[in-house]
């Protein structure tokens, strides 16, 4: 006998499976579009075929515009050829990639980004697709630029005033010397900063005082003020005044400068 509800039950199961697949695909799309970073995908040959909504909004492009090699149009003119050359070469490998560049428009301005990518391989190890993520690093770049300017001003100020800066972590024993300290002592910057590095260059008549003062510093004394002489590589004697005060305390110990 043939039952009228039999075929309908089979069709209902097929629809349920299809609907489930559609809902799962929609959930994946929503996850990608709402991910807290820009995500993209290319073919095995390196042609972009997908970018999430966050990527498209940031770059001011549509999916049709970025497909293939269209994404490069939003890269800063000064960085465009560099990233194109990099990707043109990297897509023939199977290793992870990373590149920093600026992107945007002349109207909205340009920001610094970092892109990373990894290859998706098939069962035989051949590259099937490339998956990538792009991060906005503008704030980090701005902070780096401010730090470089600050360091440049500090170097110039210390050079003019002939003042060097020394930092010591009393717990780890690690030293830091500014560039001017090396110049004052007449030492190459490849030399490891340490008390033991200075002592051979201290005038013989001042070694005892310097050793005594080093022990005071190691024992945690602050507001140390003393003078001594150093002998440079050319034999010239320099008079040096050292002021030691508690510096910034960090998680690894107390710095003295």
């Amino acid at each position: 006998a043939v039952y009228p509800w039999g075929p309908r039950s089979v069709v209902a199961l097929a629809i349920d499976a299809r609907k489930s697949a559609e809902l799962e695909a929609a959930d994946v799309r929503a996850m990608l579009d709402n991910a807290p970073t820009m995500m993209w995908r290319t073919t095995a040959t390196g042609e972009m075929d997908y970018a999430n909504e966050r990527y498209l909004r940031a770059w001011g492009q549509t999916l049709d515009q970025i497909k293939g090699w269209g994404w490069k149009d939003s890269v800063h003119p000064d960085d465009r050829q560099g990233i194109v050359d990099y990707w043109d070469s990297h897509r023939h490998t199977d290793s992870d990639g990373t590149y920093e560049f600026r992107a945007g428009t002349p109207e909205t301005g340009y920001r610094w980004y970092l892109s990373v990518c990894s290859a998706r391989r098939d069962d035989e190890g051949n590259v099937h697709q490339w998956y990538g993520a792009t991060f906005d690093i503008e704030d980090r770049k701005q902070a780096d630029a401010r730090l470089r300017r600050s360091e440049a001003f500090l170097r110039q100020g210390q050079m003019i005033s002939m003042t060097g800066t020394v930092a010591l972590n009393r717990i780890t024993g690690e030293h830091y010397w500014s560039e001017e300290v090396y110049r004052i002592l007449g030492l190459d910057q490849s030399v490891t900063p340490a008390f033991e590095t200075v002592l051979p260059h201290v005038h013989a008549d001042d070694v005892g005082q310097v050793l005594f003062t080093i022990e005071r510093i190691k024992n945690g004394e602050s507001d140390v003020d003393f003078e001594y002489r150093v002998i440079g590589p050319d034999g010239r004697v320099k008079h040096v005044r050292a002021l030691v005060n508690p510096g910034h305390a960090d998680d690894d110990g107390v710095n003295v400068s």
Side-chain angles (χ1 to χ4, degrees), residues 2 8 124 141 156 234 236 253:
V2 178
R8 286 196 296 271
E124 297 179 355
K141 284 288 189 178
Q156 185 179 33
D234 58 0
R236 289 192 304 165

Side-chain angles (χ1 to χ4, degrees), residues 4-5 34 37 82 118 122 128 136 184 194 200 213 227 236:
W5 57 82
N34 290 282
T37 189
S118 295
D122 59 24
H128 181 62
D136 188 322
I184 291 172
T213 306
E227 296 183 6
R236 289 192 304 165

Side-chain angles (χ1 to χ4, degrees), residues 188-222:
D188 188 89
Q189 292 190 32
S190 61
V191 174
T192 301
F195 288 132
E196 294 75 16
T197 304
V198 178
L199 287 174
H201 304 278
V202 175
H203 192 285
D205 293 342
D206 297 340
V207 171
Q209 177 197 3
V210 171
L211 287 172
F212 176 73
T213 306
I214 289 175
E215 288 304 313
R216 292 175 58 196
I217 296 171
K218 288 181 177 180
N219 291 331
E221 288 193 38
S222 60

Side-chain angles (χ1 to χ4, degrees), residues 140-178:
R140 191 199 79 188
K141 284 288 189 178
Q142 292 289 347
D144 289 346
R146 288 193 297 269
L147 178 59
R148 287 194 299 271
R149 286 195 298 268
S150 178
E151 290 176 341
F153 291 145
L154 176 61
R155 285 194 300 270
Q156 185 179 33
Q158 291 194 342
M159 187 180 299
I160 294 173
S161 64
M162 292 184 291
T163 303
T165 301
V166 175
L168 163 66
N169 186 304
R170 287 197 298 265
I171 295 178
T172 65
E174 183 180 4
H175 289 239
Y176 166 80
W177 292 355
S178 67

Side-chain angles (χ1 to χ4, degrees), residues 23 25 37 43 45 52 77 84 100 130 138 146 159 166 231:
L23 289 173
T37 189
T43 63
T45 58
N52 67 355
V84 168
E100 292 185 5
W130 288 93
E138 178 67 23
R146 288 193 297 269
M159 187 180 299
V166 175
I231 302 175

Side-chain angles (χ1 to χ4, degrees), residues 22-199:
E22 290 176 350
L23 289 173
E24 183 176 354
D27 186 58
V28 171
R29 286 195 300 270
M31 178 187 69
L32 294 173
D33 285 338
N34 290 282
T37 189
M38 292 164 272
M39 305 178 70
W40 48 271
R41 180 187 65 199
T42 78
T43 63
T45 58
E47 296 180 334
M48 189 174 287
D49 61 2
Y50 169 80
N52 67 355
E53 286 298 321
R54 186 179 292 268
Y55 179 107
L56 299 176
R57 288 196 303 269
W59 288 39
Q61 290 181 303
T62 65
L63 184 59
D64 288 337
Q65 289 174 323
I66 60 97
K67 281 185 175 180
W69 289 80
W71 54 268
K72 66 180 177 62
D73 294 338
S74 287
V75 176
H76 191 285
D78 292 343
D79 300 339
R80 188 173 301 152
Q81 192 58 50
I83 192 173
V84 168
D85 291 344
Y86 173 82
W87 184 236
D88 188 40
S89 172
H90 187 81
R91 66 195 177 105
H92 297 295
T93 72
D94 62 354
S95 58
D96 293 348
T98 179
Y99 200 89
E100 292 185 5
F101 59 96
R102 290 164 292 177
T105 67
E107 293 75 25
T108 61
Y110 293 90
R111 297 180 66 84
W112 277 99
Y113 294 95
L114 167 68
S115 271
V116 296
C117 66
S118 295
R120 175 189 174 189
R121 300 172 179 81
D122 59 24
D123 294 338
E124 297 179 355
N126 300 312
V127 175
H128 181 62
Q129 289 174 315
W130 288 93
Y131 292 152
T134 299
F135 305 92
D136 188 322
I137 59 171
E138 178 67 23
D139 291 344
R140 191 199 79 188
K141 284 288 189 178
Q142 292 289 347
D144 289 346
R146 288 193 297 269
L147 178 59
R148 287 194 299 271
R149 286 195 298 268
S150 178
E151 290 176 341
F153 291 145
L154 176 61
R155 285 194 300 270
Q156 185 179 33
Q158 291 194 342
M159 187 180 299
I160 294 173
S161 64
M162 292 184 291
T163 303
T165 301
V166 175
L168 163 66
N169 186 304
R170 287 197 298 265
I171 295 178
T172 65
E174 183 180 4
H175 289 239
Y176 166 80
W177 292 355
S178 67
E179 292 181 10
E180 189 60 21
V181 173
Y182 288 95
R183 281 192 285 268
I184 291 172
L185 298 177
L187 298 177
D188 188 89
Q189 292 190 32
S190 61
V191 174
T192 301
F195 288 132
E196 294 75 16
T197 304
V198 178
L199 287 174

